[in-house]
Amino acid sequence: MFGMVAPAQAWTGGNVWVNFGSWNCPAGGSVVGIYWAVDAYSSGPATGDWGDNVIYPRVRVGSGSFNTLSYQLMCKKWGWYTYRGVVSQRTLTPYKSGLSYTY
């Protein structure tokens, strides 16, 4: 007789907070805009997410969740000079919606 195995719980959709610190601006300044996408699952506005250093992307949450957040930060320095930061990626595996990550 074979044992019964419970099916693995699948991931569901949710959102998490992602905060980017000013240390991500290689030439100094602070984060004022973010271009981002989570795999092919969700993405920010084509014109970028402007006004602060925080995004609230739609991600996969729960058992089996695996997300690759790709982003490019826009940094502002001297009150007028805005420049593009390095393109980067982070892996997110949230167990529930509403979690906060700081990079």
Side-chain angles (χ1 to χ4, degrees):
M1 177 102 186
F2 294 99
M4 298 289 289
V5 177
Q9 182 183 6
W11 59 266
T12 60
N15 293 77
V16 295
W17 295 99
V18 182
N19 307 282
F20 295 96
S22 58
W23 55 86
N24 289 291
C25 293
S30 58
V31 177
V32 295
I34 306 162
Y35 292 92
W36 63 271
V38 177
D39 305 311
Y41 187 66
S42 68
S43 63
T47 55
D49 185 324
W50 292 86
D52 60 21
N53 65 329
V54 179
I55 57 175
Y56 191 60
R58 183 122 180 107
V59 296
R60 299 168 194 91
V61 298
S63 178
S65 68
F66 184 83
N67 305 276
T68 300
L69 171 65
S70 301
Y71 60 91
Q72 182 173 35
L73 305 178
M74 297 299 292
C75 299
K76 190 172 202 172
K77 185 176 178 179
W78 302 312
W80 58 270
Y81 176 66
T82 301
Y83 67 95
R84 291 181 180 271
V86 177
V87 174
S88 301
Q89 290 185 329
R90 299 286 181 166
T91 299
L92 304 173
T93 56
Y95 61 90
K96 68 177 185 174
S97 193
L99 294 178
S100 182
Y101 295 86
T102 299
Y103 298 115

Coordinates of all heavy atoms in Angstrom, one line a residue:
M1 N 0.9 -1.2 0.0 CA 0.0 0.0 0.0 C 0.9 1.2 0.0 O 1.8 1.3 0.8 CB -0.9 0.0 1.3 CG -1.7 1.2 1.4 SD -3.4 0.7 0.9 CE -4.2 2.2 1.0
F2 N 0.6 2.2 -0.8 CA 1.3 3.4 -0.9 C 0.8 4.4 0.0 O -0.4 4.5 0.2 CB 1.3 4.0 -2.3 CG 2.0 3.1 -3.3 CD1 1.3 2.2 -4.1 CD2 3.4 3.2 -3.4 CE1 1.9 1.4 -5.1 CE2 4.0 2.4 -4.3 CZ 3.3 1.5 -5.2
G3 N 1.7 5.2 0.7 CA 1.2 6.2 1.6 C 0.6 7.4 0.9 O 0.9 7.7 -0.3
M4 N -0.2 8.1 1.5 CA -0.9 9.3 1.0 C 0.0 10.5 1.2 O 0.5 10.7 2.3 CB -2.2 9.5 1.7 CG -3.2 8.4 1.4 SD -3.8 8.3 -0.2 CE -4.9 9.8 -0.3
V5 N 0.2 11.3 0.2 CA 1.0 12.5 0.3 C 0.1 13.7 0.1 O -0.6 13.7 -0.9 CB 2.2 12.4 -0.7 CG1 3.0 13.7 -0.6 CG2 3.1 11.2 -0.4
A6 N 0.2 14.6 1.0 CA -0.6 15.8 0.8 C 0.0 16.7 -0.3 O 1.2 16.8 -0.5 CB -0.6 16.6 2.1
P7 N -0.8 17.3 -1.2 CA -0.3 18.1 -2.3 C 0.3 19.3 -1.7 O -0.1 19.9 -0.7 CB -1.6 18.4 -3.1 CG -2.7 18.3 -2.1 CD -2.3 17.2 -1.2
A8 N 1.4 19.8 -2.4 CA 2.1 21.0 -2.0 C 1.2 22.2 -2.2 O 0.4 22.3 -3.2 CB 3.3 21.2 -2.8
Q9 N 1.2 23.1 -1.3 CA 0.4 24.3 -1.4 C 1.0 25.2 -2.5 O 2.2 25.4 -2.5 CB 0.4 25.1 -0.1 CG -0.5 26.3 -0.1 CD -0.4 27.1 1.2 OE1 0.3 26.7 2.1 NE2 -1.2 28.1 1.3
A10 N 0.2 25.7 -3.4 CA 0.7 26.5 -4.5 C 0.8 28.0 -4.0 O 0.1 28.4 -3.1 CB -0.3 26.4 -5.7
W11 N 1.5 28.7 -4.7 CA 1.6 30.2 -4.4 C 0.4 30.9 -4.9 O -0.4 30.4 -5.7 CB 2.9 30.8 -5.1 CG 2.9 30.6 -6.6 CD1 3.5 29.7 -7.3 CD2 2.3 31.5 -7.5 NE1 3.3 29.9 -8.6 CE2 2.6 31.0 -8.8 CE3 1.6 32.7 -7.4 CZ2 2.2 31.6 -10.0 CZ3 1.2 33.3 -8.6 CH2 1.5 32.8 -9.9
T12 N 0.2 32.1 -4.3 CA -0.9 32.9 -4.7 C -0.4 34.3 -5.0 O 0.8 34.6 -4.7 CB -2.0 33.0 -3.7 OG1 -1.4 33.6 -2.5 CG2 -2.7 31.7 -3.4
G13 N -1.1 35.2 -5.6 CA -0.7 36.6 -5.8 C -0.8 37.4 -4.6 O -1.7 37.2 -3.8
G14 N 0.1 38.4 -4.4 CA 0.0 39.3 -3.3 C 1.0 40.5 -3.6 O 1.5 40.6 -4.7
N15 N 1.2 41.3 -2.6 CA 2.1 42.5 -2.8 C 3.0 42.6 -1.6 O 2.6 42.2 -0.5 CB 1.3 43.8 -2.9 CG 0.4 43.9 -4.2 OD1 -0.6 43.2 -4.3 ND2 0.9 44.6 -5.1
V16 N 4.2 43.1 -1.9 CA 5.2 43.4 -0.8 C 5.7 44.8 -1.0 O 5.7 45.4 -2.1 CB 6.3 42.4 -0.8 CG1 5.8 41.0 -0.5 CG2 7.1 42.4 -2.1
W17 N 6.2 45.4 0.1 CA 6.8 46.7 0.1 C 8.3 46.5 -0.2 O 8.9 45.6 0.4 CB 6.7 47.4 1.4 CG 5.3 47.8 1.7 CD1 4.4 47.1 2.5 CD2 4.5 48.8 1.2 NE1 3.2 47.7 2.5 CE2 3.2 48.8 1.7 CE3 4.8 49.9 0.3 CZ2 2.2 49.7 1.4 CZ3 3.8 50.8 0.0 CH2 2.5 50.7 0.6
V18 N 8.9 47.2 -1.1 CA 10.3 47.2 -1.3 C 10.9 48.6 -1.2 O 10.4 49.5 -2.0 CB 10.7 46.6 -2.7 CG1 12.2 46.5 -2.9 CG2 10.1 45.2 -2.9
N19 N 11.8 48.8 -0.3 CA 12.4 50.1 0.0 C 13.8 50.1 -0.5 O 14.6 49.2 -0.1 CB 12.4 50.4 1.5 CG 11.0 50.3 2.1 OD1 10.1 51.1 1.9 ND2 10.7 49.1 2.7
F20 N 14.2 51.2 -1.2 CA 15.6 51.3 -1.6 C 16.3 52.4 -0.9 O 15.9 53.6 -1.0 CB 15.7 51.5 -3.2 CG 15.1 50.3 -3.9 CD1 13.8 50.3 -4.4 CD2 15.9 49.3 -4.2 CE1 13.3 49.3 -5.1 CE2 15.5 48.2 -4.9 CZ 14.1 48.2 -5.4
G21 N 17.4 52.1 -0.3 CA 18.2 53.2 0.5 C 19.1 54.0 -0.4 O 19.4 53.6 -1.6
S22 N 19.5 55.1 0.0 CA 20.3 56.0 -0.8 C 21.7 55.4 -1.0 O 22.4 55.9 -2.0 CB 20.4 57.4 -0.1 OG 21.0 57.2 1.2
W23 N 22.1 54.4 -0.3 CA 23.4 53.8 -0.5 C 23.4 53.1 -1.9 O 24.4 52.7 -2.4 CB 23.7 52.8 0.6 CG 22.7 51.7 0.8 CD1 22.5 50.5 0.1 CD2 21.6 51.8 1.7 NE1 21.4 49.9 0.6 CE2 20.8 50.6 1.6 CE3 21.2 52.7 2.7 CZ2 19.7 50.4 2.4 CZ3 20.1 52.5 3.5 CH2 19.4 51.3 3.3
N24 N 22.2 52.9 -2.6 CA 22.2 52.4 -3.9 C 22.5 53.4 -5.0 O 22.6 53.0 -6.2 CB 20.7 51.8 -4.2 CG 20.4 50.6 -3.4 OD1 21.0 49.5 -3.6 ND2 19.6 50.7 -2.4
C25 N 22.7 54.6 -4.6 CA 23.1 55.6 -5.6 C 24.6 55.7 -5.6 O 25.2 56.3 -4.7 CB 22.5 57.0 -5.2 SG 20.7 57.0 -5.3
P26 N 25.2 55.2 -6.7 CA 26.7 55.1 -6.7 C 27.4 56.4 -6.7 O 28.6 56.5 -6.2 CB 27.0 54.3 -8.0 CG 25.8 54.4 -8.8 CD 24.6 54.6 -7.9
A27 N 26.8 57.5 -7.2 CA 27.5 58.8 -7.2 C 26.9 59.7 -6.2 O 27.1 60.9 -6.2 CB 27.4 59.4 -8.6
G28 N 26.2 59.1 -5.2 CA 25.6 59.9 -4.1 C 24.2 60.4 -4.5 O 23.7 60.1 -5.6
G29 N 23.6 61.1 -3.6 CA 22.2 61.5 -3.8 C 21.2 60.6 -3.1 O 21.5 59.8 -2.3
S30 N 19.9 60.7 -3.6 CA 18.9 59.8 -3.0 C 18.0 59.3 -4.1 O 17.9 59.9 -5.2 CB 18.0 60.6 -2.0 OG 17.5 61.8 -2.6
V31 N 17.3 58.2 -3.9 CA 16.5 57.5 -4.8 C 15.2 58.4 -5.0 O 14.5 58.7 -4.0 CB 16.1 56.1 -4.4 CG1 15.2 55.4 -5.4 CG2 17.4 55.3 -4.2
V32 N 14.9 58.7 -6.3 CA 13.6 59.5 -6.5 C 12.7 58.8 -7.6 O 11.6 59.2 -7.8 CB 13.9 60.9 -7.0 CG1 14.6 61.7 -5.9 CG2 14.8 60.9 -8.3
G33 N 13.2 57.7 -8.2 CA 12.4 57.0 -9.2 C 12.9 55.6 -9.4 O 14.1 55.3 -9.1
I34 N 12.0 54.7 -9.8 CA 12.4 53.3 -9.9 C 11.7 52.7 -11.2 O 10.5 52.9 -11.3 CB 11.9 52.5 -8.7 CG1 12.5 53.1 -7.4 CG2 12.3 51.0 -8.8 CD1 11.8 52.7 -6.1
Y35 N 12.5 52.1 -12.0 CA 11.9 51.3 -13.1 C 12.0 49.8 -12.6 O 13.1 49.4 -12.2 CB 12.7 51.4 -14.4 CG 12.6 52.8 -15.0 CD1 13.5 53.8 -14.7 CD2 11.6 53.1 -15.9 CE1 13.4 55.1 -15.2 CE2 11.5 54.4 -16.4 CZ 12.4 55.4 -16.1 OH 12.2 56.6 -16.7
W36 N 10.9 49.1 -12.7 CA 11.0 47.7 -12.1 C 10.0 46.7 -12.9 O 9.1 47.1 -13.5 CB 10.6 47.7 -10.7 CG 9.3 48.2 -10.4 CD1 8.8 49.5 -10.1 CD2 8.1 47.4 -10.3 NE1 7.5 49.5 -9.9 CE2 7.0 48.3 -10.0 CE3 7.8 46.0 -10.4 CZ2 5.7 47.8 -9.8 CZ3 6.5 45.6 -10.2 CH2 5.5 46.5 -9.9
A37 N 10.4 45.4 -12.7 CA 9.5 44.3 -13.2 C 9.8 43.1 -12.3 O 10.9 42.9 -11.8 CB 9.8 44.0 -14.6
V38 N 8.8 42.3 -12.1 CA 8.9 41.0 -11.4 C 8.7 39.9 -12.5 O 7.6 39.7 -12.8 CB 7.9 40.9 -10.3 CG1 8.0 39.5 -9.6 CG2 8.1 42.0 -9.2
D39 N 9.8 39.4 -12.9 CA 9.7 38.4 -14.0 C 8.8 38.9 -15.1 O 8.9 40.1 -15.4 CB 9.3 37.0 -13.5 CG 10.1 36.5 -12.3 OD1 11.4 36.5 -12.5 OD2 9.6 36.1 -11.3
A40 N 7.9 38.1 -15.6 CA 6.9 38.5 -16.6 C 5.6 38.7 -15.9 O 4.5 38.8 -16.5 CB 6.8 37.6 -17.8
Y41 N 5.6 38.6 -14.5 CA 4.4 38.6 -13.7 C 3.8 39.9 -13.5 O 2.6 40.1 -13.5 CB 4.7 37.9 -12.4 CG 3.6 37.6 -11.5 CD1 2.6 36.7 -11.8 CD2 3.4 38.3 -10.3 CE1 1.5 36.5 -11.0 CE2 2.3 38.0 -9.4 CZ 1.4 37.1 -9.8 OH 0.3 36.9 -9.0
S42 N 4.6 40.9 -13.2 CA 4.1 42.3 -13.0 C 5.2 43.3 -13.3 O 6.4 43.0 -13.3 CB 3.6 42.5 -11.6 OG 4.7 42.5 -10.6
S43 N 4.8 44.5 -13.5 CA 5.8 45.6 -13.7 C 5.3 46.9 -13.4 O 4.1 47.1 -13.3 CB 6.3 45.6 -15.2 OG 5.2 45.9 -16.0
G44 N 6.2 47.9 -13.2 CA 5.8 49.2 -12.8 C 5.4 50.0 -14.1 O 5.4 49.4 -15.2
P45 N 5.0 51.2 -14.0 CA 4.7 52.0 -15.1 C 5.8 52.1 -16.1 O 7.0 52.2 -15.7 CB 4.3 53.4 -14.6 CG 4.4 53.3 -13.1 CD 5.0 52.0 -12.7
A46 N 5.5 52.2 -17.4 CA 6.6 52.3 -18.4 C 7.4 53.5 -18.3 O 8.6 53.6 -18.6 CB 6.0 52.2 -19.8
T47 N 6.8 54.6 -17.7 CA 7.6 55.8 -17.5 C 8.3 55.8 -16.1 O 8.9 56.8 -15.8 CB 6.6 57.0 -17.5 OG1 5.5 56.8 -16.6 CG2 6.0 57.2 -18.9
G48 N 8.2 54.8 -15.4 CA 8.9 54.7 -14.1 C 7.9 55.1 -12.9 O 6.9 55.7 -13.1
D49 N 8.3 54.7 -11.7 CA 7.6 55.0 -10.5 C 8.4 56.1 -9.8 O 9.4 55.8 -9.3 CB 7.5 53.7 -9.7 CG 6.6 53.9 -8.4 OD1 6.7 55.0 -7.8 OD2 6.0 52.9 -8.1
W50 N 7.8 57.3 -9.8 CA 8.6 58.5 -9.3 C 8.0 59.0 -8.0 O 6.8 58.8 -7.7 CB 8.5 59.6 -10.4 CG 9.3 59.2 -11.6 CD1 8.9 58.4 -12.7 CD2 10.7 59.5 -11.8 NE1 9.9 58.3 -13.6 CE2 11.0 58.9 -13.1 CE3 11.7 60.1 -11.1 CZ2 12.3 59.0 -13.6 CZ3 13.0 60.2 -11.7 CH2 13.3 59.6 -12.9
G51 N 8.8 59.7 -7.3 CA 8.3 60.5 -6.2 C 8.9 60.0 -4.8 O 8.9 60.7 -3.9
D52 N 9.4 58.8 -4.8 CA 10.0 58.3 -3.5 C 10.8 57.1 -3.8 O 11.1 56.8 -5.0 CB 8.9 57.9 -2.5 CG 7.9 56.9 -3.0 OD1 8.2 56.1 -3.9 OD2 6.8 56.8 -2.4
N53 N 11.2 56.4 -2.8 CA 12.2 55.2 -2.9 C 11.5 53.9 -2.6 O 12.1 52.9 -2.3 CB 13.4 55.4 -2.0 CG 12.9 55.4 -0.5 OD1 11.8 55.8 -0.2 ND2 13.8 55.0 0.3
V54 N 10.1 53.8 -2.7 CA 9.4 52.7 -2.3 C 8.5 52.2 -3.5 O 7.9 53.0 -4.2 CB 8.5 53.0 -1.1 CG1 7.6 51.8 -0.7 CG2 9.3 53.5 0.0
I55 N 8.4 50.9 -3.7 CA 7.5 50.3 -4.6 C 6.7 49.2 -3.9 O 7.1 48.7 -2.8 CB 8.2 49.7 -5.9 CG1 9.2 48.6 -5.5 CG2 8.8 50.8 -6.7 CD1 9.8 47.9 -6.7
Y56 N 5.5 48.9 -4.5 CA 4.6 47.9 -3.9 C 4.2 46.9 -5.0 O 3.1 46.8 -5.4 CB 3.4 48.6 -3.3 CG 2.5 47.8 -2.4 CD1 3.0 47.2 -1.3 CD2 1.1 47.6 -2.8 CE1 2.1 46.4 -0.5 CE2 0.3 46.9 -2.0 CZ 0.8 46.3 -0.8 OH -0.1 45.5 0.0
P57 N 5.2 46.1 -5.5 CA 4.9 45.2 -6.6 C 4.0 44.0 -6.3 O 4.0 43.5 -5.2 CB 6.3 44.7 -7.0 CG 7.1 44.8 -5.7 CD 6.6 45.9 -5.0
R58 N 3.3 43.6 -7.3 CA 2.6 42.3 -7.2 C 3.6 41.2 -7.4 O 4.4 41.2 -8.3 CB 1.5 42.3 -8.4 CG 0.7 41.1 -8.3 CD -0.8 41.5 -8.2 NE -1.7 40.3 -8.2 CZ -2.3 39.9 -7.1 NH1 -2.2 40.6 -6.0 NH2 -3.1 38.8 -7.1
V59 N 3.5 40.2 -6.5 CA 4.5 39.1 -6.5 C 3.7 37.8 -6.2 O 2.6 37.8 -5.8 CB 5.6 39.3 -5.4 CG1 6.5 40.5 -5.7 CG2 5.0 39.5 -4.0
R60 N 4.4 36.7 -6.3 CA 4.0 35.4 -5.9 C 4.3 35.2 -4.4 O 5.4 35.5 -4.0 CB 4.6 34.3 -6.7 CG 4.4 34.4 -8.2 CD 5.4 33.4 -8.9 NE 5.5 33.7 -10.3 CZ 6.3 34.5 -10.9 NH1 7.2 35.2 -10.2 NH2 6.3 34.7 -12.2
V61 N 3.3 34.8 -3.6 CA 3.5 34.6 -2.2 C 3.1 33.2 -1.8 O 2.3 32.6 -2.4 CB 2.8 35.7 -1.3 CG1 3.3 37.1 -1.6 CG2 1.3 35.6 -1.5
G62 N 3.7 32.7 -0.7 CA 3.3 31.4 -0.2 C 4.3 30.3 -0.6 O 5.4 30.6 -1.2
S63 N 3.9 29.1 -0.4 CA 4.7 28.0 -0.7 C 5.1 27.9 -2.2 O 4.2 28.0 -3.0 CB 4.0 26.7 -0.2 OG 4.8 25.6 -0.5
G64 N 6.3 27.7 -2.5 CA 6.7 27.7 -3.9 C 6.9 29.0 -4.6 O 7.1 29.1 -5.8
S65 N 6.7 30.1 -3.8 CA 6.8 31.4 -4.4 C 8.3 31.7 -4.7 O 9.2 31.4 -3.9 CB 6.3 32.5 -3.5 OG 7.0 32.6 -2.4
F66 N 8.6 32.2 -5.9 CA 9.9 32.6 -6.3 C 9.8 33.8 -7.3 O 9.1 33.6 -8.3 CB 10.7 31.4 -6.9 CG 12.1 31.8 -7.3 CD1 13.1 31.7 -6.3 CD2 12.4 32.2 -8.5 CE1 14.4 32.0 -6.6 CE2 13.7 32.5 -8.8 CZ 14.7 32.5 -7.9
N67 N 10.4 34.9 -7.0 CA 10.2 36.1 -7.8 C 11.6 36.7 -8.0 O 12.4 36.8 -7.1 CB 9.4 37.1 -7.0 CG 8.0 36.6 -6.6 OD1 7.1 36.7 -7.4 ND2 7.9 36.2 -5.4
T68 N 11.9 37.1 -9.2 CA 13.1 37.9 -9.5 C 12.7 39.3 -9.8 O 12.0 39.6 -10.8 CB 13.9 37.3 -10.7 OG1 14.2 35.9 -10.3 CG2 15.1 38.1 -10.9
L69 N 13.0 40.2 -8.9 CA 12.7 41.6 -9.1 C 13.9 42.3 -9.8 O 15.1 42.3 -9.3 CB 12.6 42.3 -7.7 CG 12.5 43.8 -7.7 CD1 11.2 44.3 -8.4 CD2 12.5 44.4 -6.3
S70 N 13.7 42.8 -11.0 CA 14.7 43.5 -11.8 C 14.4 45.0 -11.7 O 13.2 45.4 -11.8 CB 14.7 43.1 -13.2 OG 14.9 41.7 -13.3
Y71 N 15.4 45.8 -11.4 CA 15.1 47.2 -11.3 C 16.3 48.1 -11.7 O 17.4 47.7 -11.7 CB 14.7 47.5 -9.8 CG 15.8 47.2 -8.8 CD1 16.8 48.1 -8.4 CD2 15.9 45.9 -8.3 CE1 17.8 47.8 -7.5 CE2 16.8 45.6 -7.4 CZ 17.8 46.5 -7.0 OH 18.8 46.2 -6.1
Q72 N 16.0 49.4 -12.0 CA 17.0 50.4 -12.2 C 16.5 51.6 -11.4 O 15.3 52.1 -11.6 CB 17.2 50.7 -13.6 CG 18.3 51.8 -13.8 CD 18.6 52.0 -15.2 OE1 17.8 52.0 -16.1 NE2 19.9 52.3 -15.5
L73 N 17.3 52.1 -10.5 CA 17.0 53.3 -9.7 C 17.4 54.6 -10.4 O 18.4 54.6 -11.1 CB 17.7 53.2 -8.4 CG 17.4 51.9 -7.6 CD1 18.2 51.9 -6.3 CD2 15.9 51.8 -7.3
M74 N 16.6 55.6 -10.2 CA 17.0 57.0 -10.6 C 17.3 57.8 -9.4 O 16.6 57.8 -8.4 CB 15.8 57.6 -11.3 CG 15.4 56.9 -12.6 SD 16.7 56.8 -13.8 CE 16.8 58.5 -14.3
C75 N 18.5 58.4 -9.4 CA 19.0 59.1 -8.2 C 19.1 60.6 -8.5 O 19.4 61.0 -9.6 CB 20.4 58.5 -7.9 SG 20.4 56.8 -7.4
K76 N 18.8 61.4 -7.5 CA 18.9 62.8 -7.6 C 19.9 63.3 -6.7 O 20.0 62.9 -5.5 CB 17.5 63.4 -7.2 CG 17.4 64.9 -7.5 CD 16.0 65.4 -7.4 CE 15.8 66.6 -8.2 NZ 14.4 67.0 -8.1
K77 N 20.7 64.3 -7.2 CA 21.9 64.8 -6.4 C 21.9 66.3 -6.7 O 21.6 66.8 -7.8 CB 23.2 64.1 -6.9 CG 24.4 64.5 -6.2 CD 25.6 63.6 -6.7 CE 26.8 64.0 -6.0 NZ 28.0 63.2 -6.5
W78 N 22.3 67.1 -5.7 CA 22.5 68.5 -5.8 C 21.1 69.2 -6.1 O 21.1 70.4 -6.5 CB 23.5 68.9 -6.8 CG 24.9 68.4 -6.6 CD1 25.6 68.3 -5.5 CD2 25.7 67.7 -7.6 NE1 26.8 67.7 -5.7 CE2 26.9 67.3 -7.0 CE3 25.5 67.4 -8.9 CZ2 27.9 66.7 -7.6 CZ3 26.5 66.8 -9.6 CH2 27.7 66.4 -8.9
G79 N 20.0 68.6 -5.8 CA 18.7 69.2 -6.0 C 18.3 69.3 -7.5 O 17.1 69.7 -7.7
W80 N 19.1 69.1 -8.4 CA 18.7 69.2 -9.8 C 19.3 68.1 -10.7 O 18.7 67.8 -11.8 CB 19.2 70.5 -10.4 CG 20.7 70.7 -10.3 CD1 21.4 71.2 -9.3 CD2 21.7 70.3 -11.3 NE1 22.8 71.2 -9.5 CE2 23.0 70.6 -10.7 CE3 21.6 69.7 -12.5 CZ2 24.2 70.3 -11.4 CZ3 22.8 69.4 -13.2 CH2 24.1 69.7 -12.6
Y81 N 20.3 67.4 -10.4 CA 21.0 66.5 -11.2 C 20.4 65.1 -11.0 O 20.5 64.5 -9.9 CB 22.5 66.4 -11.0 CG 23.2 65.4 -11.8 CD1 23.3 65.4 -13.2 CD2 23.9 64.3 -11.1 CE1 24.0 64.5 -13.9 CE2 24.6 63.4 -11.8 CZ 24.6 63.4 -13.2 OH 25.3 62.5 -13.9
T82 N 19.7 64.5 -12.0 CA 19.2 63.1 -11.8 C 19.9 62.2 -12.8 O 20.1 62.5 -13.9 CB 17.7 63.1 -12.2 OG1 17.0 64.0 -11.3 CG2 17.1 61.7 -12.0
Y83 N 20.3 61.0 -12.3 CA 21.0 60.1 -13.1 C 20.5 58.6 -12.8 O 19.9 58.4 -11.8 CB 22.5 60.2 -12.8 CG 23.0 59.7 -11.4 CD1 23.4 58.4 -11.2 CD2 22.9 60.6 -10.3 CE1 23.8 58.0 -9.9 CE2 23.3 60.2 -9.1 CZ 23.8 59.0 -8.8 OH 24.1 58.6 -7.6
R84 N 20.9 57.7 -13.7 CA 20.5 56.3 -13.6 C 21.5 55.6 -12.8 O 22.7 55.7 -13.0 CB 20.4 55.7 -15.0 CG 19.2 56.2 -15.9 CD 19.2 55.5 -17.2 NE 18.1 56.0 -18.0 CZ 16.9 55.6 -18.0 NH1 16.6 54.5 -17.3 NH2 16.0 56.1 -18.8
G85 N 20.9 54.7 -11.9 CA 21.8 53.8 -11.1 C 22.0 52.6 -11.9 O 21.6 52.4 -13.0
V86 N 22.7 51.6 -11.3 CA 23.0 50.4 -11.9 C 21.8 49.5 -12.0 O 20.9 49.5 -11.1 CB 24.1 49.6 -11.0 CG1 24.4 48.3 -11.6 CG2 25.3 50.5 -11.0
V87 N 21.6 48.7 -13.1 CA 20.5 47.8 -13.2 C 20.8 46.6 -12.3 O 22.0 46.1 -12.3 CB 20.4 47.3 -14.7 CG1 19.3 46.2 -14.8 CG2 20.0 48.5 -15.6
S88 N 19.9 46.2 -11.5 CA 20.1 45.1 -10.5 C 19.0 44.2 -10.4 O 17.9 44.4 -10.9 CB 20.4 45.7 -9.1 OG 21.5 46.6 -9.1
Q89 N 19.2 43.0 -9.7 CA 18.1 42.1 -9.5 C 18.2 41.6 -8.0 O 19.3 41.5 -7.5 CB 18.3 40.8 -10.4 CG 18.0 41.1 -11.8 CD 18.1 39.8 -12.7 OE1 18.8 38.9 -12.3 NE2 17.3 39.8 -13.7
R90 N 17.0 41.2 -7.5 CA 16.9 40.6 -6.2 C 15.9 39.5 -6.3 O 15.0 39.6 -7.0 CB 16.4 41.7 -5.2 CG 17.3 42.9 -4.9 CD 18.5 42.5 -4.2 NE 19.3 43.7 -3.9 CZ 20.3 43.7 -3.1 NH1 20.6 42.6 -2.4 NH2 21.0 44.8 -3.0
T91 N 16.1 38.5 -5.4 CA 15.2 37.4 -5.4 C 14.3 37.6 -4.2 O 14.8 37.9 -3.0 CB 16.0 36.0 -5.2 OG1 16.8 35.9 -6.4 CG2 15.0 34.9 -5.1
L92 N 13.0 37.4 -4.4 CA 12.0 37.6 -3.3 C 11.3 36.3 -3.2 O 10.8 35.7 -4.2 CB 11.0 38.7 -3.6 CG 11.6 40.1 -3.9 CD1 10.5 41.0 -4.3 CD2 12.2 40.6 -2.7
T93 N 11.2 35.7 -2.0 CA 10.4 34.5 -1.7 C 9.5 34.7 -0.5 O 9.6 34.1 0.6 CB 11.3 33.3 -1.5 OG1 12.2 33.6 -0.4 CG2 12.1 32.9 -2.7
P94 N 8.5 35.7 -0.6 CA 7.7 36.0 0.6 C 6.7 34.9 0.9 O 6.2 34.2 0.1 CB 6.9 37.2 0.1 CG 6.9 37.1 -1.4 CD 8.2 36.4 -1.8
Y95 N 6.5 34.7 2.2 CA 5.6 33.7 2.7 C 4.2 34.3 2.9 O 3.3 33.5 3.1 CB 6.1 33.1 4.0 CG 6.3 34.0 5.2 CD1 5.2 34.3 6.0 CD2 7.5 34.7 5.4 CE1 5.4 35.1 7.1 CE2 7.6 35.6 6.4 CZ 6.6 35.8 7.3 OH 6.7 36.7 8.3
K96 N 4.1 35.6 2.9 CA 2.7 36.2 3.0 C 2.8 37.6 2.3 O 3.9 38.2 2.2 CB 2.3 36.3 4.4 CG 3.0 37.3 5.3 CD 2.5 37.3 6.7 CE 3.2 38.4 7.5 NZ 2.5 38.6 8.8
S97 N 1.7 38.1 2.0 CA 1.5 39.5 1.4 C 1.8 40.5 2.5 O 1.6 40.3 3.7 CB 0.1 39.6 0.8 OG 0.1 40.7 0.0
G98 N 2.3 41.7 2.1 CA 2.5 42.8 3.0 C 3.8 42.9 3.7 O 4.1 43.8 4.4
L99 N 4.7 41.9 3.4 CA 6.1 42.0 4.0 C 6.8 43.2 3.4 O 6.5 43.7 2.4 CB 6.8 40.7 3.7 CG 6.3 39.4 4.3 CD1 7.1 38.2 3.8 CD2 6.3 39.5 5.8
S100 N 7.9 43.6 4.1 CA 8.7 44.7 3.7 C 10.1 44.3 3.5 O 10.7 43.6 4.4 CB 8.6 45.8 4.8 OG 9.3 47.0 4.4
Y101 N 10.7 44.7 2.4 CA 12.1 44.4 2.1 C 12.9 45.7 2.0 O 12.3 46.7 1.4 CB 12.3 43.6 0.8 CG 11.7 42.2 0.9 CD1 10.3 42.1 0.6 CD2 12.4 41.1 1.2 CE1 9.7 40.8 0.7 CE2 11.9 39.9 1.2 CZ 10.5 39.7 1.0 OH 10.0 38.5 1.0
T102 N 14.1 45.8 2.5 CA 14.9 47.0 2.3 C 16.2 46.6 1.6 O 16.9 45.6 2.1 CB 15.2 47.7 3.7 OG1 14.0 48.0 4.2 CG2 16.1 48.9 3.5
Y103 N 16.6 47.3 0.6 CA 17.8 47.0 -0.2 C 18.6 48.3 -0.3 O 18.0 49.4 -0.3 CB 17.5 46.4 -1.5 CG 16.8 45.1 -1.5 CD1 15.6 44.9 -2.0 CD2 17.5 44.0 -0.9 CE1 14.9 43.7 -1.9 CE2 16.8 42.8 -0.9 CZ 15.6 42.7 -1.4 OH 14.9 41.4 -1.3

